[in-house]
């Protein structure tokens, strides 16, 4: 094993985290260690198109080991506009040389959407349109990872009215991609994907939309265990958003819903258009009058049941249960759908506008 | 409930036989194989597949078993069938069809083609992904080529000019080679269209030829840029400029070893302001936040401030403090990354570090900064050597290493290189501060119009963790960042007079109370380098010019009435040449950012600034007038990082004191239907402004004037260059092929191009009429 700045113990811990993220057994850890310490670092060409560099920034927050280890020991990043030292023609040379040397072998990571309107003139690098560069580089990659919602599905540049004709990689040039989505995506999902590739030469199994099962296989809501109340009344898109934010956490600290902001659904196609407005009419009245003082929905007992069911229905039901807490959570889940209409909100929150049966998240 | 998108195919009653190929080439006198399996699990315990000849050349026959047996467990595993072609007398390519059949199995056929030895090669065709390619004048266009089948030998595909406009030629890929290993992998062919004098769209045809294949034609269509275009001789062009956020091109003219003119071009347009039109104003903060993932918080907060200005909302004190702490975390993270990872390698030669004596480096480290954590320099050096030994330098490949302008001793290079690595770890810690209050970094989510959402996170425990991260980051600034800066200042003293500019603008930051002008970093304007005569900021003097940018019109306008439509007219340095607009203050180009803020604070006599600047000047032997330079700009960034770190300690203490005293307010309700407002904010890169105009809860206009357009914008209507364009004039360039000095000046401004490039207009559903002349 090469000289590392980090000690072996934290390296093993990291390999264990990857195994868990990928849903692998801990017996795989030694093989992961081996895969990550091979001398044959796979060549990576990281392309930046219409983006904000947030995906690269998120990648720079990878931990245990840090991004230094990934850059120096795990991958051979031959082209990355934000971190590479070479500029101008020298940088272009590095990229073209890497493509020529490693055609059919390199992993292409794409960040950002590809502007396609007017032959792609809205995005130029080195006198060439991004569309041109994409078409010259990407078809020659062994695998292409569309990192972030912009590269996968167009993201913000493609939001209505999509002034630059921005598209995700597959839509723009017709090449199949592995889509790791989110705005930004969690760096561990990229690292786990590449580790899986180093481990057995294959990318992880994908959903029909090109997203890996291990990170985009279930909803944010399914794994959400935030200590405060469920945020569905706040237009939370967790139930319709497929990502593992709730179990991974960002920066090893937190995630949006833990910071008590509802999930905006940032890993789904067209979310900027489909999910807007993000702050529905209920939002402010709930935040201003209810949130500050009230008990979270799933913590409530009688008060939240009686307006609809009357009397002591909850206590009666609860008395029959061996685990009242589990019952509370089950009831909460069961009510999620009906709680999503204004009428049921209004029964407890008279300030809620409307009191209609319209679904408040549509 | 919605379905999950998966569907089950209904079970077929008959199982299909699947073959790996439909046609198989069998060399005369030789063998070839194909594979067989079943499409679905057979109904019976065993399924037998018979292979029998149906028609054709009798010379081709099955070798070995003519029956395959599949079970319910191995039905989906390939089994091999081998065909042999006997030698014959003819020279024709015989053909035979084989049928694969079985009880309750759907038949399949395979056609075997005998390849006669006298025949040249198996047939294949040349495939291209496009039959017509558009090539902008002065630029390139690409199509890809591959073969339809394995050529079974090495084949050269040549791309030759056939007829048409001779300005279009093959730039690369004139010959592409294919063999059995790569025939199905696309290889690119790049065409280029030379800049010409005409104004018509030329057209040319290229022929793709290979022995044994039909020639294929590809049409190239030149998109004329209108008249003269392209770069002239005697110019240095850097495109792309790396180690920045976004896409930037810089061209300079050099005479007598110094820069005489410079042009900066932003090369990406995303149209975010267009996208904002018609949306709910409260969505603008999370949308504008995505302008930039590097300075990720600034647009969100600035946008929130603009809406709060329009609705007359005063946020609770706790919300003010949480926002100050989040923005402060942004500054500390951003400046450290800029110095060590984006800008540092313009001063530090990593390859020289390999020659350093690790023990001497340890002694140097102790003398430069006794308080810094000890580093095993020998291990760092071995690690670098290990990277070099692999032959792949990764991100460090092909830089200007060994350039005569790199002046640090090997030990100094090793010291700062080691810090490049420790700073990579430290920035992860710095980012955690933002994640605690905002949920994640980049793109925190808790700041909303009216306050912040993260009330549940403001517990003693979480704030204690925040303080741990803050103190670790502040120690790094004091013990590593500032000492390294002094090392560089000492070795590059002449850079105190290179790359400077004289006009500075700061909008001020970190509100100390609800009063609009009570700011931790003051607001003000310095003109012509007169740092002790700081003028009050007159917001109405700010206008944006488009005369030299790719937008229609020539009139400069105040942001609130800004009106612009994109109109790309090709790169023409004598006319329009950037997606950036050109902001001006009373007609003058202004520098914004750390140097502007530090000079305004220093000029106004704010004690924190006076103390920090004096300390730096004494330690480095520089004078006040030296600050308006590349070196001063880089130093000011470090100085303010330390000042802001001190400010964060105060804000955190205030927040804890408020919470302990029972004040848990984080949000205030507001009314928001129609109005206009503006938000001002100091981002790490400089002054930022958002202007919003909304009606019936829908955005009518939205405009942003961002730091990088102040610093890197193009010329204005009067022809006055922007701040960087002026700062570059006079910069010496020793070797135009390796223009390291230019990068030092560019990077000292910390360009962030993504946020610089957008248009203003936000009328609902406007469709732009884009001209490409």
């Amino acid at each position: 094993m090469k000289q590392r700045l980090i000690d072996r113990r934290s390296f093993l811990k990291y390999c264990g985290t990857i195994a868990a993220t990928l849903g692998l057994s801990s017996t795989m850890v030694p093989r992961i260690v081996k895969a990550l310490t091979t001398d044959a670092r796979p060549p990576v060409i990281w392309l930046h198109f219409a983006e904000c560099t947030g995906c690269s920034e998120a990648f720079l927050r990878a931990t245990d080991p840090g991004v230094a280890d990934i850059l120096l020991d795990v991958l051979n990043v031959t082209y990355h506009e934000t971190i590479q030292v070479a500029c101008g023609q020298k940088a272009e040379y590095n990229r073209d040389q890497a493509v020529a040397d490693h055609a059919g072998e390199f992993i292409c990571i794409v960040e950002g959407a590809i502007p396609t309107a007017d032959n792609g003139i809205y995005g130029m690098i080195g006198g060439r349109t991004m569309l041109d560069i994409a078409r010259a580089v990407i078809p020659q990659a062994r695998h292409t990872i569309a990192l972030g919602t912009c590269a996968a599905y167009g993201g913000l540049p493609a939001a209505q009215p999509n002034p630059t004709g921005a598209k995700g990689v597959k839509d723009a040039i017709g090449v199949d991609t592995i889509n790791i989505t989110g705005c930004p995506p969690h760096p561990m999902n990229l690292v786990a994907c590449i580790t899986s590739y180093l481990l057995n030469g294959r990318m992880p199994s994908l959903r029909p939309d090109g997203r890996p099962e291990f990170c985009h296989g279930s909803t944010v809501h399914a794994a959400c265990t935030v200590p405060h109340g469920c945020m569905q009344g706040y237009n939370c898109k967790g139930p319709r958003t497929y990502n593992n934010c709730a179990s991974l956490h960002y920066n090893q600290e937190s995630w949006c819903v833990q910071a008590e902001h509802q999930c905006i659904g940032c890993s789904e196609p067209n979310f900027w258009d489909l999910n807007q407005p993000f702050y529905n009419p209920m939002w402010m009245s709930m935040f201003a009058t209810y949130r500050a003082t009230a008990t979270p929905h799933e913590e409530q007992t009688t008060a939240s049941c009686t307006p609809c069911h009357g009397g002591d229905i909850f206590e009666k039901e609860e008395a029959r249960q061996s685990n009242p807490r589990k019952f509370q959570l089950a009831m909460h889940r069961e009510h999620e759908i009906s709680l999503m209409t204004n009428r049921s909100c209004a029964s407890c929150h008279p300030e809620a506008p409307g009191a209609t049966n319209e679904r408040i998240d549509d | 409930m919605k379905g999950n998108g998966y569907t089950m195919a209904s079970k077929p009653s008959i199982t299909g036989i699947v073959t790996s190929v439909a046609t198989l080439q069998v060399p005369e006198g030789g063998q070839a194989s194909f594979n067989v399996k079943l499409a679905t699990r057979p109904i019976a315990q065993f399924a037998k597949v018979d292979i029998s000849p149906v028609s054709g050349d009798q010379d081709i026959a099955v070798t070995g078993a003519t029956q395959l047996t599949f079970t319910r467990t191995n039905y989906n595993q390939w089994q091999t069938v081998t065909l042999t072609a006997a030698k014959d007398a003819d020279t024709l390519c015989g053909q035979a069809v084989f049928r694969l059949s079985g009880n309750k199995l759907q038949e399949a056929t395979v056609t075997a083609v005998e390849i006669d030895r006298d025949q040249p090669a198996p047939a294949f065709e040349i495939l291209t992904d496009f039959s017509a390619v558009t090539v902008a004048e002065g630029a390139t266009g690409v199509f890809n080529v591959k073969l339809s089948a394995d050529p079974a030998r090495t084949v050269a595909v040549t791309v030759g000019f056939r007829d048409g406009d001779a300005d279009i030629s093959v730039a690369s890929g004139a010959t592409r080679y294919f063999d059995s290993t790569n025939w199905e992998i696309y290889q690119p062919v790049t065409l280029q269209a030379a800049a010409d004098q005409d104004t018509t769209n030329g057209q040319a045809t290229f022929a793709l030829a290979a022995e044994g294949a039909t020639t294929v034609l590809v049409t190239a269509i030149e998109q004329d840029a209108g008249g003269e275009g392209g770069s002239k001789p005697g110019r240095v062009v850097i495109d792309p400029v790396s180690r920045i956020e976004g896409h930037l091109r810089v061209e300079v003219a050099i005479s007598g070893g110094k820069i005489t003119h410079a042009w900066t071009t932003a090369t990406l347009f995303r149209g975010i302001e267009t996208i904002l039109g018609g949306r709910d104003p409260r969505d603008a903060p999370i949308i504008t936040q995505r302008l930039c993932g590097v300075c990720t918080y600034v647009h969100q907060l600035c946008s929130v401030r603009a809406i709060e200005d329009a609705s007359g909302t005063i946020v609770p004190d706790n919300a003010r403090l949480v926002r100050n702490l989040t923005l402060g975390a942004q500054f500390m993270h951003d400046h450290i990354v800029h110095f060590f990872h984006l800008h540092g390698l313009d001063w530090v030669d990593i390859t020289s570090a390999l020659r350093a004596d690790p023990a001497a480096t340890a002694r140097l480290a102790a003398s430069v900064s006794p308080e810094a954590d000890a580093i095993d320099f020998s291990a760092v050096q071995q690690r670098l050597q290990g990277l070099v030994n692999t032959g792949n330098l990764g991100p460090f490949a092909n830089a200007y290493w060994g350039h005569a302008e790199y002046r640090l001793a090997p030990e100094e290079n090793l010291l700062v290189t080691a810090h490049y690595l420790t700073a990579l770890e430290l920035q992860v810690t710095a980012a955690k501060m933002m994640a605690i209050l905002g949920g994640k970094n980049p793109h925190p989510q808790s700041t909303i119009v009216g306050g912040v959402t993260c009330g549940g996170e403001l517990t003693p425990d979480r704030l204690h963790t925040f303080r741990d991260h803050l103190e670790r980051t502040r120690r790094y600034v004091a013990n590593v960042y500032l000492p390294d800066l002094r090392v560089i200042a000492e070795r590059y003293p002449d850079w105190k007079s290179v790359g400077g500019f004289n006009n500075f603008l700061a909008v001020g930051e970190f509100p100390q109370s609800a009063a609009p002008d009570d700011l931790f970093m003051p607001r003000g304007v310095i003109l012509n380098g007169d740092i002790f005569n700081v003028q009050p900021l007159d917001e109405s003097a700010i206008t944006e010019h488009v005369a030299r940018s790719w937008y229609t019109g020539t009139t400069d306008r105040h942001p609130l009435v800004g009106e612009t439509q994109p109109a790309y007219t090709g790169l023409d340095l004598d006319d329009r040449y950037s997606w950036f607009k050109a902001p001006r203050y009373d007609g003058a180009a202004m520098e914004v950012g750390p140097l502007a803020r530090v000079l305004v604070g220093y000029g106004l006599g704010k004690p924190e600034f006076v103390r920090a600047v004096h300390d730096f000047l004494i330690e480095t032997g520089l004078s006040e007038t030296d600050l308006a330079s590349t070196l001063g700009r880089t130093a000011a960034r470090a100085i303010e990082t330390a000042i802001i770190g001190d400010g964060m300690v105060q804000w955190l203490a205030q927040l804890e004191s408020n919470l302990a005293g029972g004040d848990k307010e984080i949000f205030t309700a507001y009314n928001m239907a129609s109005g206009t407002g503006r938000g001002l904010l100091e981002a790490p890169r400089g002054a930022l402004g958002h202007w919003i105009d909304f009606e019936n809860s829908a955005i009518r206009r939205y405009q942003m004037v961002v730091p990088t357009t102040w610093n890197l914008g193009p010329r204005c209507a009067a022809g006055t260059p922007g701040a960087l364009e002026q700062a570059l004039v006079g910069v010496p360039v020793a070797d135009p092929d390796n223009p390291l000095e230019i990068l030092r000046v560019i990077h000292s401004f910390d360009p962030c191009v993504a946020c610089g490039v957008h248009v203003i207009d936000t009328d609902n559903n406007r469709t732009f009429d884009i001209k490409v002349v």
Side-chain angles (χ1 to χ4, degrees):
Chain A
M1 187 169 158
K2 278 176 289 186
Q3 179 68 45
R4 290 171 184 282
L5 286 180
I6 54 137
D7 59 69
R8 180 152 181 91
R9 199 168 144 215
S10 39
F11 184 66
L12 287 173
K13 180 184 146 207
Y14 157 77
C15 293
T17 314
I18 290 202
T21 306
L22 283 168
L24 300 174
S25 127
S26 60
T27 56
M28 290 295 283
V29 169
R31 285 189 57 198
I32 292 177
V33 170
K34 192 155 174 260
L36 290 179
T37 49
T38 170
D39 272 343
R41 296 172 292 153
V44 171
I45 295 178
W46 190 308
L47 299 177
H48 285 83
F49 295 133
E51 42 82 1
C52 74
T53 315
C55 302
S56 281
E57 283 286 335
F59 171 65
L60 290 176
R61 311 288 184 273
T63 45
D64 295 328
V67 67
D69 301 273
I70 297 173
L71 289 178
L72 297 183
D73 299 334
V74 179
L75 301 177
N76 174 18
V77 179
T78 55
Y79 186 86
H80 187 299
E81 283 170 25
T82 318
I83 58 174
Q84 72 187 354
V85 181
C87 278
Q89 288 176 338
K90 281 170 169 265
E92 298 288 284
Y93 172 84
N94 286 1
R95 183 189 65 209
D96 294 343
Q97 195 60 41
V99 172
D101 290 349
H102 304 294
E105 291 169 28
F106 69 89
I107 297 174
C108 187
I109 299 176
V110 182
E111 181 174 351
I114 301 177
T116 64
D118 305 297
N119 294 312
I121 51 112
Y122 296 103
M124 308 269 282
I125 303 168
R128 295 169 62 181
T129 64
M130 292 167 178
L131 186 61
D132 263 7
I133 293 169
R135 287 176 45 206
V137 175
I138 294 172
Q140 302 190 76
R142 172 76 177 268
H143 293 290
T144 298
I145 297 175
L147 183 63
T149 307
C150 295
Y153 304 124
L156 182 59
Q160 287 301 323
N162 193 355
T164 64
K167 290 180 177 174
V169 174
K170 187 174 181 180
D171 282 352
I173 64 167
V175 173
D176 281 331
T177 52
I178 295 130
N179 298 328
I180 301 178
T181 60
C183 188
H186 196 290
M188 182 57 86
N189 291 338
L190 174 64
V191 173
C193 218
I194 290 172
T195 305
S196 166
Y197 174 69
L198 291 171
L199 206 55
N200 50 24
R202 283 196 309 272
M203 285 292 176
S205 68
L206 304 178
R207 288 158 40 108
D209 61 11
R211 291 193 282 179
E213 287 277 1
F214 78 87
C215 51
H216 296 294
S218 64
T219 65
V220 167
H221 185 75
C224 183
T225 54
V226 289
H228 54 74
C230 181
M231 302 203 75
Q232 282 198 66
Y234 296 84
N235 207 13
C236 185
K237 300 301 177 187
R240 295 177 182 191
T241 303
Y242 290 81
N243 211 335
N244 57 355
C245 319
S247 38
L248 274 187
H249 288 195
Y250 282 83
N251 312 84
Q252 297 183 307
E253 284 290 352
S254 188
W255 62 294
C256 301
V257 178
Q258 189 177 327
E260 296 180 67
H261 191 289
Q262 78 276 16
C263 170
I264 62 172
C266 73
S267 40
E268 298 305 301
N270 300 326
F271 81 96
W272 290 110
D273 294 325
L274 295 178
N275 292 356
Q276 63 134 355
F278 295 97
Y279 304 91
N280 64 353
M282 285 288 293
W283 204 97
M284 193 172 79
S285 87
M286 287 185 72
F287 202 92
T289 62
Y290 161 71
R291 181 129 201 89
T293 52
T295 315
H297 277 140
E298 79 269 25
E299 304 258 312
Q300 293 192 1
T301 52
T302 324
S304 56
C305 309
T306 47
C308 298
H309 299 286
D312 52 357
I313 174 80
F314 189 88
E315 280 85 351
K316 276 188 201 156
E317 286 292 325
E318 201 180 46
R320 297 194 200 108
Q321 305 297 320
S322 56
N323 184 340
R325 173 67 184 155
K326 205 170 163 189
F327 170 69
Q328 280 177 24
L329 290 172
M331 284 299 104
H332 170 62
R333 280 279 149 84
E334 197 169 287
H335 280 72
E336 273 164 12
I337 294 162
S338 60
L339 282 174
M340 281 157 74
T341 66
N342 273 1
R343 175 161 295 171
S344 48
C345 297
S347 64
C348 292
H349 309 291
E351 77 282 6
T356 65
N357 276 330
E358 286 167 37
R359 289 166 70 89
I360 54 178
D361 65 340
D362 282 342
Chain B
M1 286 290 281
K2 270 189 149 178
N4 60 8
Y6 297 91
T7 53
M8 293 289 288
S10 61
K11 216 172 194 176
S13 55
I14 293 182
T15 297
I17 297 172
V18 181
T19 60
S20 57
V21 291
T23 59
L24 183 71
Q25 295 172 341
V26 189
E28 181 191 328
Q31 293 186 336
S33 302
F34 64 95
N35 292 321
V36 182
K37 66 177 180 179
L38 301 184
T40 53
R41 197 183 295 276
I43 296 153
Q45 194 71 25
F46 297 100
K48 294 186 192 306
V49 175
D50 295 303
I51 304 113
S52 53
V54 183
S55 63
D57 191 334
Q58 305 278 316
D59 291 337
I60 307 171
V62 177
T63 303
T66 56
Q67 188 179 66
L68 305 173
T69 305
F70 290 90
T71 64
R72 284 175 61 81
T73 52
N74 79 345
Y75 72 96
N76 56 356
Q77 290 165 14
W78 291 114
Q79 297 192 34
T80 303
V81 176
T82 304
L83 301 180
T84 306
K87 281 193 172 227
D88 56 21
D90 63 44
T91 57
L92 299 169
C93 291
Q95 266 197 15
V97 177
F98 290 84
R99 176 165 55 216
L100 294 93
S101 59
N103 187 25
K104 290 193 177 158
L105 297 176
Q106 194 169 15
E107 286 182 7
T109 58
V110 169
T111 305
V113 183
E114 179 205 45
I115 305 301
D116 194 284
R117 290 216 161 151
D118 300 329
Q119 292 296 311
F124 59 89
E125 283 174 38
I126 299 170
L127 300 180
T128 60
D129 56 349
F130 289 87
S131 59
V133 183
T134 308
V135 189
E137 181 187 331
T140 58
V142 180
F143 65 91
N144 289 288
V145 59
K146 67 177 181 180
L147 303 183
S148 64
D150 183 352
R153 62 192 167 92
T154 303
V155 170
V157 175
T158 56
V159 185
F161 180 82
R162 189 184 171 102
D163 53 39
D165 186 340
D167 288 337
I168 307 174
S169 60
V170 179
S172 71
T175 306
R176 289 293 186 199
Y177 293 95
F178 294 92
D179 58 24
S180 296
T181 62
N182 73 342
W183 59 272
E184 55 183 348
I185 300 172
Y186 269 127
Q187 297 193 48
V189 175
T190 306
L191 303 177
Q192 64 186 8
D196 56 24
Q197 302 295 330
D198 64 40
T199 55
T200 55
N201 290 334
Q203 192 165 324
T205 310
F206 290 84
L208 282 75
E211 192 186 325
T214 316
T215 297
V216 171
L217 300 183
V218 169
T219 306
I221 303 149
E222 175 209 42
Q223 282 211 317
D224 198 275
E228 195 176 344
S231 295
K232 296 171 180 143
R235 296 279 179 84
V236 174
V237 179
I238 305 179
D239 182 9
V241 176
S242 64
R243 278 177 289 137
I244 62 166
E245 195 302 319
H247 303 282
L248 176 69
R249 175 190 195 273
V250 173
E251 178 165 342
V252 299
I254 296 176
S255 173
K258 289 192 170 182
I259 295 174
T260 56
H261 297 85
W263 296 264
T264 56
T265 299
T267 59
L268 169 70
F269 166 79
R270 283 187 300 174
I272 304 294
E273 284 138 315
T274 311
I275 290 166
L276 284 166
R279 292 178 192 251
D280 188 309
R282 292 171 302 171
D283 289 358
I286 52 173
I287 292 174
T288 58
Q289 172 173 44
R290 267 72 182 183
L291 287 167
C292 184
V294 179
C295 32
T296 167
Y297 182 55
V298 302
H299 291 288
Q300 182 183 33
L301 180 55
C302 196
S303 181
V304 159
R305 284 181 181 170
I307 301 163
E308 286 170 356
D309 178 51
S311 57
T313 307
I314 306 284
V315 301
D317 202 44
N318 290 335
R320 171 183 71 82
L321 291 164
V322 166
R323 292 173 180 189
N324 279 0
L325 287 168
T326 312
L327 185 59
Q330 171 72 52
F331 269 84
M332 299 203 81
H333 178 274
D334 215 337
H335 284 355
I336 290 169
V337 168
H338 178 261
F339 181 75
F340 286 101
H341 306 123
L342 305 182
H343 193 24
L345 300 181
D346 298 333
W347 310 100
V348 176
D349 184 345
I350 288 190
T351 58
S352 152
L354 293 172
R355 298 193 302 275
D357 173 359
T361 310
R363 288 193 295 278
L364 170 74
S367 76
V368 167
S369 177
E371 305 293 318
D373 294 343
I375 292 176
D376 181 351
F377 290 103
S378 170
V380 173
Q381 203 176 30
Q382 281 173 34
R383 193 174 195 206
L384 282 177
Q385 189 64 53
L387 186 71
V388 171
N389 292 347
T390 65
N392 281 314
L393 283 176
F396 304 119
N398 205 18
Y400 301 134
W401 307 133
H403 194 289
E405 252 299 317
Y406 281 121
R407 294 191 220 141
L408 298 190
E411 285 72 24
E412 291 165 333
N413 279 316
L414 179 56
L415 176 72
V416 188
T417 301
H419 294 157
Y420 179 101
L421 299 174
T422 57
L424 269 180
E425 290 174 25
L426 189 274
Q427 57 92 24
V428 173
T429 301
K432 286 171 189 277
M433 290 190 271
M434 183 181 286
I436 289 175
L437 298 175
K440 67 182 191 298
N441 164 281
H443 299 334
Q445 204 146 300
S446 69
T447 295
I448 52 167
V449 178
V452 294
T453 62
C454 56
E457 295 291 287
L458 303 180
T459 61
D461 193 32
R462 293 292 277 160
L463 295 179
H464 181 77
T465 309
F466 186 97
R467 175 171 282 111
D468 284 348
H469 298 326
L470 174 60
E471 288 307 324
R472 198 178 150 206
T473 308
R474 288 178 70 230
R475 276 200 303 278
Y476 197 85
V477 172
N479 298 336
V480 182
Y481 185 4
L482 284 166
D484 282 7
L485 174 77
R486 289 194 288 266
V487 168
I488 284 168
E490 211 166 278
R491 290 289 179 172
Y492 295 95
D494 48 326
W495 282 79
K496 71 187 182 194
S497 49
V498 175
F501 191 59
N502 277 331
N503 299 330
F504 301 96
L505 181 148
V507 297
E509 193 42 78
F510 300 113
Q512 296 289 71
S513 68
D517 293 324
D518 186 6
L519 297 166
F520 180 69
M521 305 180 96
R523 180 177 293 171
V525 171
I526 293 170
L527 294 168
N528 303 315
D530 194 358
I531 57 176
F532 293 109
N533 181 21
V534 178
Q535 315 269 329
L537 174 74
D538 173 11
E539 288 175 40
S540 68
I542 298 171
T543 60
E544 282 203 302
H545 292 245
V546 292
R548 305 295 294 274
S549 314
W550 289 314
Y551 304 102
T552 58
T554 52
T555 316
D556 62 312
R557 288 167 179 269
H558 186 268
L560 200 52
V561 292
E563 187 182 285
T564 314
Q565 288 181 276
Y568 182 69
T569 49
L571 182 72
D572 183 352
L573 299 180
D574 298 324
D575 189 8
R576 297 177 190 263
Y577 62 94
S578 183
W579 285 117
F580 277 164
K581 301 172 88 185
R584 292 293 182 267
Y585 182 77
D586 201 13
M590 308 297 286
E591 174 175 346
V592 299
L595 184 55
R597 289 186 290 259
V598 167
L599 289 179
V600 167
Y602 184 70
L604 287 172
K606 278 280 264 185
E608 300 90 335
F609 290 83
V610 173
R611 214 165 32 236
V613 171
H614 276 169
D615 285 353
F616 176 76
L617 295 179
I618 290 164
E619 282 160 2
T620 56
L622 298 173
S623 71
E624 283 158 358
T625 49
D626 296 335
L627 290 171
S629 64
T630 304
L631 192 56
R633 197 173 290 124
T634 300
R637 191 169 287 113
I639 290 170
E640 76 166 7
T641 311
I643 295 174
I644 291 167
D646 295 344
M648 289 175 73
V649 173
Q650 298 169 22
W651 303 320
L652 183 58
Q654 283 173 29
L655 179 62
E656 285 172 329
S657 150
N658 285 356
L659 294 165
D663 172 10
K664 308 228 185 242
E665 283 292 312
I666 53 166
F667 178 79
T668 187
Y670 53 88
N671 282 315
M672 183 213 66
S674 300
T676 60
R678 69 98 177 90
L680 296 178
L681 176 140
E682 282 291 343
R685 288 163 185 78
L688 170 66
H690 282 212
W691 282 261
I692 188 170
D693 175 359
F694 54 92
E695 194 171 55
N696 297 327
S697 295
I699 296 171
R700 193 160 55 186
R701 273 173 200 278
Y702 203 99
Q703 176 148 15
M704 297 167 262
V705 178
V706 306
T708 300
T709 58
W710 281 108
N711 287 335
L712 272 77
R715 284 152 174 75
C716 64
T720 312
L724 173 65
E725 291 180 329
Q726 293 190 46
L728 277 171
V729 172
V731 172
V733 179
D735 174 6
D737 283 333
N738 295 287
L740 176 63
E741 301 91 337
I742 300 177
L743 287 174
R744 277 188 192 153
V745 181
I746 297 172
H747 285 147
S748 74
F749 279 94
D750 192 2
C752 185
V753 179
C755 72
V757 189
H758 11 256
V759 221
I760 303 45
D761 184 290
T762 52
D763 287 1
N764 297 351
N765 302 322
R766 175 189 291 272
T767 51
F768 290 106
D769 178 22
I770 312 294
K771 274 193 304 186
V772 183
V773 280

